[in-house]
Amino acid sequence: MLIDLDSFYAAVEEKRNPELKGKPLAVCMYSGRTEDSGAIATANYPARELGIHSGMSIKQAKKLDKENIVRFLPADRDYYKQVSDRIMEIYQRYADRFEQVSIDEAYLDVTEKCRTFEKAIKLAEKIRKAVNDSEGITCTVGIGYNKIVAKMASKLKKPDSLNVIDHNDFEKIIQKLPVGKLHGIGEKTELILKDFGIRTIGDLAKFDLGKLKMALGPTKAEQFWNHANGIDEEEVENEDKKQMSKLKTLKENSRDADYIFAGSEEFAEILQKRLDERNIGFKTIAIIIVTTGLKTKTKGMTFSGTQKTVKAVLPEYKKLLEEYLSENPDDVIRRFGIRIGGFDEFKEQRTLADFGK
Ligand code: DCP
Ligand code: MG
């Protein structure tokens, strides 16, 4: 499942001040330079009807508000974070595994718990009710057979609902959509794809992967192509507030440190994004190893000061891996991952770019 809260900041403001309910509302990140400089963090649905949306400048939004009916409120991120934390706690009660992706969005793996889509729907309704009962805001749940499908399912049915996409629906519904609707594809990529005659997600799914790699680079090409085919092997990474991790299954089992470690830069980028989003640094790192015998083992270290960039400590990770391999001469590695923890919050001002998804 992917659960995304509906017009989150605005919904929290409406809940806090019921007088705002149902009227157009925009939550703003003021830059402080001049009175109206800054951007819209989010707008509630009545304000969206006027064309106001996230990322737009406040000035432009005010122009769209011809009749002066929109309330413009400053963002109170600390408060939204508290609400978000409570909601994330609720999710964790219902999931086998849980991964928060942003302040208002999380994946829940309920495979073991539910086994069928029917059971997953019942569980999703329970979660939607629990969130509404305790915080008075609505969310949209997408249910699918992997992460990208769940994400697309929620995207298609916002707000305040639940959507299931099975294999059949993926072909019938998702692959018929314009390619720009695929999660992660922005305007630039869409234009490149249009040049190849790719208009729908289905077109992309059938397109030659080799050619796509030349146009978009291998990583993106492979990701978009897989997603267009409904393929996504990313797992819901269990992580609590105290640590985060990223793991992969190696193409071949190995004891070669270079081979095992290859691709860790990508891990670093993903974890960095999550750190930046929460505006935190870290003090501990660890490698996670799953052996061919399916035993999970970790080996870690602690820094004396808070670290900012994961990429900068990759050599330390590599050292941990090399030490591990020499200490465990019989272990052959099947899955490898890195973990960070010991988080510390940075107190600097955040910018809107920090929320980009
Ligand atoms: N956000 C932000 N700047 C952006 C996008 C989002 O500050 N450019 C903040 C405000 C949102 C929150 O993050 O409330 C969650 O982002 P979503 O993209 O999920 O948007 P909403 O929850 O507001 O709306 P939706 O109902 O479409 O999910
Ligand atoms: Mg949302």
Side-chain angles (χ1 to χ4, degrees), residues 4-8 48 104-105 158 357:
D4 190 317
L5 301 166
D6 300 325
S7 47
F8 180 51
R48 286 183 201 193
D104 87 325
E105 202 179 336
K158 278 201 141 286
K357 280 197 273 183

Side-chain angles (χ1 to χ4, degrees), residues 57-69:
S57 74
I58 297 169
K59 284 195 189 95
Q60 199 183 344
K62 289 203 166 166
K63 269 188 212 146
L64 292 170
D65 177 25
K66 292 191 186 84
E67 293 168 37
N68 244 329
I69 50 171

Side-chain angles (χ1 to χ4, degrees), residues 9-170:
Y9 291 5
V12 174
E13 291 295 353
E14 284 182 36
K15 172 70 181 135
R16 172 151 74 169
N17 181 0
E19 191 190 288
L20 298 170
K21 189 128 195 98
K23 295 175 192 152
L25 167 70
V27 178
C28 309
M29 306 282 284
Y30 290 100
S31 70
R33 233 169 288 140
T34 61
E35 196 188 332
D36 270 351
S37 66
I40 304 297
T42 195
N44 68 357
Y45 282 81
R48 286 183 201 193
E49 273 168 29
L50 301 172
I52 298 173
H53 58 75
S54 301
M56 171 181 276
S57 74
I58 297 169
K59 284 195 189 95
Q60 199 183 344
K62 289 203 166 166
K63 269 188 212 146
L64 292 170
D65 177 25
K66 292 191 186 84
E67 293 168 37
N68 244 329
I69 50 171
V70 179
R71 280 288 293 274
F72 290 86
L73 290 181
D76 181 354
R77 235 192 91 89
D78 289 343
Y79 186 68
Y80 310 147
K81 180 74 173 50
Q82 286 171 27
V83 177
S84 163
D85 284 351
R86 290 197 296 266
I87 294 174
M88 297 296 154
E89 297 276 357
I90 296 176
Y91 295 166
Q92 287 175 71
R93 279 190 246 141
Y94 294 95
D96 298 328
R97 297 192 321 160
F98 160 85
E99 178 183 337
Q100 184 172 355
V101 274
S102 77
I103 191 163
D104 87 325
E105 202 179 336
Y107 285 103
L108 278 66
D109 186 345
V110 296
T111 313
E112 297 293 322
K113 190 171 230 138
C114 294
R115 286 280 151 211
T116 64
F117 281 130
E118 288 71 33
K119 281 196 184 143
I121 292 169
K122 288 215 175 92
L123 185 66
E125 281 304 4
K126 236 192 222 172
I127 298 173
R128 276 166 38 75
K129 184 168 184 310
V131 171
N132 207 312
D133 286 350
S134 74
E135 300 299 335
I137 68 174
T138 62
C139 62
T140 299
V141 183
I143 302 176
Y145 47 91
N146 61 32
K147 280 170 126 178
I148 184 67
V149 176
K151 173 76 193 176
M152 293 299 292
S154 89
K155 239 180 133 168
L156 282 185
K157 230 161 162 208
K158 278 201 141 286
D160 197 10
S161 58
L162 189 162
N163 193 19
V164 185
I165 301 263
D166 61 17
H167 285 85
N168 206 359
D169 295 331
F170 192 81

